[in-house]
């Protein structure tokens, strides 16, 4: 309980949390307003999630990841707790508290962006959007983004590294899955079709695209998308737990 109380107060007591929150909400509303005014792009899910093909993740997921990465980055930079965290169990308790608080913050951020974009949709088109269960996947993606940023920063002891991992994961997963699914089977065709692995500028999106109302390059089942959400979090968590006994600090 002490770790949860500390992490909640730390998250709400620093200026960067509120700056990221404000920036995400303003940018999200602006993208939704631009998207909903274009008849070819005004699908409800895409407007509500403010999906942008040029970004590997929705803005809300990137914002949640930034707050998560800063959470551990600030602990490393201002290590006031280091003398209290020599036992591994205390560091593990702090990690669980951070995962809980960042998860709740990310979920609230996702709900706030959905509500804001729904208001933009209703004001411009004079009707309520109907998106259905697809938004549950978006909610899961935002929470996953927050956890990836947090765990990557914890493993690498750097907020910048945490953000880099967050942005690189979807970019690397896209071509890897395409290759594994047999998209490129011959070496000659591989060189000729390398550009097809990168969806930017081709009216497509990354593999997480369906969770933002965007078309993806490889059709995946719900189970496949769930696996792509869980795998980075589990791998980073295992990496952190493997390093935990070898470190004396956070």
């Amino acid at each position: 309980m002490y770790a949860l109380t500390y992490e909640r107060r730390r998250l709400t007591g620093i200026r960067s949390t509120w700056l990221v929150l404000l920036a995400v909400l303003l940018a999200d509303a602006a993208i939704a307003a631009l998207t909903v005014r274009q008849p070819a792009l005004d699908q409800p899910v895409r407007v509500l999630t403010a999906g942008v093909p040029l970004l590997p993740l929705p803005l809300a997921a990137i914002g949640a990841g930034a707050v998560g990465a800063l959470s551990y980055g600030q602990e490393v930079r201002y290590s006031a707790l280091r003398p209290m965290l020599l036992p591994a169990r205390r560091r593990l308790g702090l990690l669980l508290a951070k995962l809980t608080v960042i998860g709740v913050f990310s979920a609230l951020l996702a709900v706030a962006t959905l509500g804001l974009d729904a208001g933009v949709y209703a004001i411009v088109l004079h009707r309520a959007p109907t998106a259905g269960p697809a938004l549950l996947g978006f909610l899961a993606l935002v929470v996953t983004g927050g956890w990836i940023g947090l765990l990557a920063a914890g493993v690498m002891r750097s907020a910048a590294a945490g953000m880099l991992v967050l942005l690189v994961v979807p970019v690397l997963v896209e071509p890897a899955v395409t290759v594994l699914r047999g998209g490129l089977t011959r070496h000659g065709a591989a060189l000729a079709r390398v550009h097809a692995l990168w969806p930017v500028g081709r009216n497509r999106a990354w593999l997480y695209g369906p969770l933002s109302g965007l078309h993806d390059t490889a059709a995946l089942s719900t189970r496949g998308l769930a696996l792509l959400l869980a795998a980075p979090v589990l791998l980073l968590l295992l990496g952190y737990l493997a390093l935990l006994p070898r470190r004396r600090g956070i």
Side-chain angles (χ1 to χ4, degrees):
M1 290 301 296
Y2 290 113
L4 277 174
T5 302
Y6 160 78
E7 181 58 22
R8 177 181 58 80
R9 290 179 176 175
R10 187 205 61 78
L11 185 71
T12 57
I14 56 178
R15 185 169 52 183
S16 60
T17 301
W18 302 106
L19 291 177
V20 171
L21 177 64
L22 180 62
V24 169
L25 291 178
L26 291 177
D28 214 78
I31 292 174
L34 292 174
T35 303
V36 76
R37 296 178 185 277
Q38 304 181 47
L41 304 176
D42 64 353
Q43 298 91 343
V45 175
R46 181 165 184 173
V47 175
L48 293 180
T49 62
V52 180
L54 295 177
L55 296 178
L57 290 169
L59 286 175
I62 294 175
V67 173
L70 288 172
S71 175
Y72 250 113
Q74 289 161 348
E75 299 287 9
V76 173
R77 185 176 181 182
Y78 306 106
S79 52
L81 293 181
R82 184 169 296 176
M84 301 173 58
L85 294 174
L86 292 181
R89 60 180 180 82
R90 290 187 178 177
R91 283 176 280 160
L92 184 58
L94 181 61
L95 172 65
L96 294 176
K98 285 183 178 295
L99 287 172
T100 301
V101 173
I102 292 298
V104 172
F105 172 84
S106 302
L108 292 176
L109 177 60
V111 172
T113 57
L114 290 175
L116 183 62
D117 296 342
V120 172
Y121 187 97
I123 291 173
V124 175
L125 297 183
H126 305 289
R127 65 174 185 270
T130 55
L135 297 182
L136 294 177
F138 170 75
L139 179 64
L141 180 60
V142 176
V143 174
T144 298
W147 284 343
I148 290 176
L150 168 66
L151 291 170
V155 169
M156 300 183 182
R157 301 173 65 84
S158 168
M163 282 302 299
L164 181 62
V165 171
L166 175 69
L167 296 176
V168 164
V169 164
V171 178
L172 294 182
V173 165
E174 170 75 19
V177 172
T178 303
V179 171
L180 291 176
R181 288 171 62 94
L184 301 176
T185 57
R186 292 177 297 182
H187 297 292
L191 293 176
R193 295 192 295 171
V194 166
H195 68 277
L197 294 174
W198 308 100
V200 175
R202 300 180 65 87
N203 196 29
R204 297 179 292 177
W206 311 99
L207 284 177
Y208 295 125
L211 303 179
S212 301
L214 301 169
H215 178 64
D216 59 339
T217 56
L220 290 176
S221 63
T222 302
R223 182 179 300 178
L225 283 172
L227 179 62
L228 288 178
L229 286 176
V233 175
L234 292 177
L235 290 175
L236 289 170
L237 181 59
L238 290 175
Y240 182 88
L241 293 178
L243 294 172
L244 187 65
R246 305 179 184 181
R247 291 178 174 175
R248 294 182 60 84
I250 295 174

